[in-house]
Amino acid sequence: MKRFLIFCFLSFALLLLITSCKPNLSNSSSGGNIIVASKDFTEQDILGELLAQQIEATTNLKVDRRPRLGGSFICHSAITSGKIDAYIEYTGTAFTGILKQKVVSNPKEVYDKLKQAYAQQFNLEVMPSLGFENTFAMIIRGEDAKRYNIQTLSQVSQYTPQWRGGFGYEFLEREDGFPGLAKTYGLRFAKPPQIMDLGLVYRALVQKQVDMVAGSSTDGQISRLGVVVLKDDKQYFPPYEAAPIFRQETLQKYPELRKAIAQLAGKISADEMRQLNNLVEGELRNIKDVVQEFRKLKGLDSFKNTKKPVSA
């Protein structure tokens, strides 16, 4: 009996421990008015903090932050179930990944269809784009771009027969990756592109082991290493514009949010996002400080609270 009681006590204690460690996403848990989440990489950390600071600086709402919540499907599940109120998503990801639609290259068409479908199916509002997109980027050394006066993918096709390519496995295999890109632009290399770990492509490019790599258009290494992103002048890649997603119920409850978020529309260019990523990843700067400085640079800190505090 003594052993049985000890076993019961330990089991109960373990249950309490597991329960206490389980993440709590409810608003009531910390008294915030709304919850802003972000996906699990550096750029999203920055954008989530930007959204939170913007709301707190221009309204009297308190924001609970949920950084590194997970990927698109986890964040989408959380917002549709009401566990979070907002996060930043990329239009192409939502359009093809969440809505399961075929790739569309026109940014406005993707945004309009996404906005309509999200409102009808999920009671979510897709807010205006922050001004940049994070998509696949074909990258070459800055010295080569200058030497041959290359700015676009159409221009680079005459040089690739003498060049070497280095790409990640996914980019070589996926439908909107290299096979279609090569066909669209007539890209041919001296030999089949080398399959590389994504963490090594920039080093290989700088060390001249390869001459062209595929990265993300807002990678911090782009500004840090002085490499050049070639313009996708035939719009092969689908648009991946960064846009805030909000629950309609939250916007109805706190109508001042619309004005606060509208002030962020078009405020970040791809180059600026690269610089912000580099400040955090390359220079190891504090994310809150980086965001505060960016808001000041953009004049966003000039918008002040004028309303009475909102009760939780």
Side-chain angles (χ1 to χ4, degrees):
M1 178 62 69
K2 184 177 180 181
R3 290 181 178 178
F4 176 74
L5 290 175
I6 292 175
F7 173 77
C8 291
F9 175 78
L10 291 176
S11 298
F12 179 71
L14 180 61
L15 179 62
L16 287 178
L17 178 62
I18 294 174
T19 302
S20 65
C21 292
K22 185 178 181 179
N24 194 327
L25 296 177
S26 66
N27 281 322
S28 59
S29 63
S30 54
N33 302 110
I34 64 174
I35 293 177
V36 171
S38 58
K39 296 197 278 185
D40 50 358
F41 54 96
T42 300
E43 179 169 300
Q44 282 277 312
D45 292 338
I46 296 169
L47 295 178
E49 181 60 25
L50 174 63
L51 203 60
Q53 285 192 22
Q54 176 69 9
I55 292 170
E56 291 182 333
T58 58
T59 72
N60 287 292
L61 298 172
K62 180 182 177 182
V63 177
D64 289 333
R65 293 154 171 82
R66 294 292 184 271
R68 303 269 168 162
L69 184 62
S72 291
F73 295 108
I74 291 176
C75 289
H76 180 73
S77 176
I79 197 170
T80 52
S81 63
K83 294 180 179 178
I84 64 173
D85 296 289
Y87 79 104
I88 305 291
E89 185 56 276
Y90 304 95
T91 56
T93 300
F95 190 71
T96 59
I98 303 298
L99 297 180
K100 306 299 182 184
Q101 298 297 305
K102 292 183 178 180
V103 172
V104 174
S105 61
N106 185 294
K108 186 178 187 304
E109 183 180 351
V110 171
Y111 179 83
D112 290 343
K113 288 183 176 181
L114 183 67
K115 185 177 179 68
Q116 182 180 16
Y118 263 46
Q120 293 177 348
Q121 297 181 30
F122 309 120
N123 295 319
L124 298 176
E125 180 147 349
V126 182
M127 308 292 278
S129 167
L130 299 177
F132 76 95
E133 61 175 308
N134 185 353
T135 185
F136 282 120
M138 303 308 297
I139 301 166
I140 63 175
R141 288 182 291 273
E143 60 191 81
D144 290 337
K146 184 176 181 180
R147 179 185 300 125
Y148 302 115
N149 192 27
I150 302 173
Q151 298 177 332
T152 69
L153 282 168
S154 292
Q155 293 172 335
V156 82
S157 61
Q158 62 180 303
Y159 301 103
T160 53
Q162 292 80 44
W163 286 6
R164 297 156 298 173
F167 309 128
Y169 175 79
E170 182 180 355
F171 181 72
L172 285 170
E173 296 294 326
R174 60 186 287 170
E175 183 178 345
D176 59 344
F178 180 72
L181 181 76
K183 183 177 180 180
T184 299
Y185 286 101
L187 300 180
R188 293 180 295 109
F189 288 93
K191 57 182 180 179
Q194 184 176 347
I195 301 175
M196 305 187 69
D197 184 279
L198 291 178
L200 301 176
V201 293
Y202 286 99
R203 181 187 303 176
L205 181 65
V206 171
Q207 294 179 351
K208 299 186 177 182
Q209 297 173 4
V210 294
D211 304 291
M212 177 187 289
V213 299
S216 294
S217 58
T218 55
D219 284 342
Q221 294 97 318
I222 293 174
S223 58
R224 187 163 70 247
L225 300 176
V227 295
V228 170
V229 176
L230 298 174
K231 183 179 179 181
D232 179 17
D233 50 305
K234 293 184 179 180
Q235 295 186 326
Y236 167 76
F237 293 119
Y240 289 95
E241 296 181 311
I245 309 292
F246 272 81
R247 296 178 65 226
Q248 291 181 342
E249 183 180 343
T250 302
L251 294 174
Q252 293 168 0
K253 185 176 182 180
Y254 304 115
E256 62 269 36
L257 282 172
R258 289 187 179 277
K259 182 178 180 181
I261 303 307
Q263 293 164 4
L264 296 177
K267 282 293 191 295
I268 310 177
S269 68
D271 186 59
E272 287 171 330
M273 193 67 244
R274 290 183 204 118
Q275 293 174 19
L276 293 174
N277 285 332
N278 183 53
L279 287 173
V280 175
E281 292 181 335
E283 300 185 16
L284 304 180
R285 295 280 306 281
N286 180 273
I287 290 176
K288 288 189 176 182
D289 293 340
V290 168
V291 171
Q292 286 174 353
E293 292 172 7
F294 179 76
R295 292 188 67 255
K296 184 176 181 179
L297 177 67
K298 290 292 182 176
L300 293 169
D301 63 337
S302 62
F303 298 100
K304 303 298 181 181
N305 287 335
T306 57
K307 298 182 179 181
K308 294 180 181 180
V310 178
S311 58

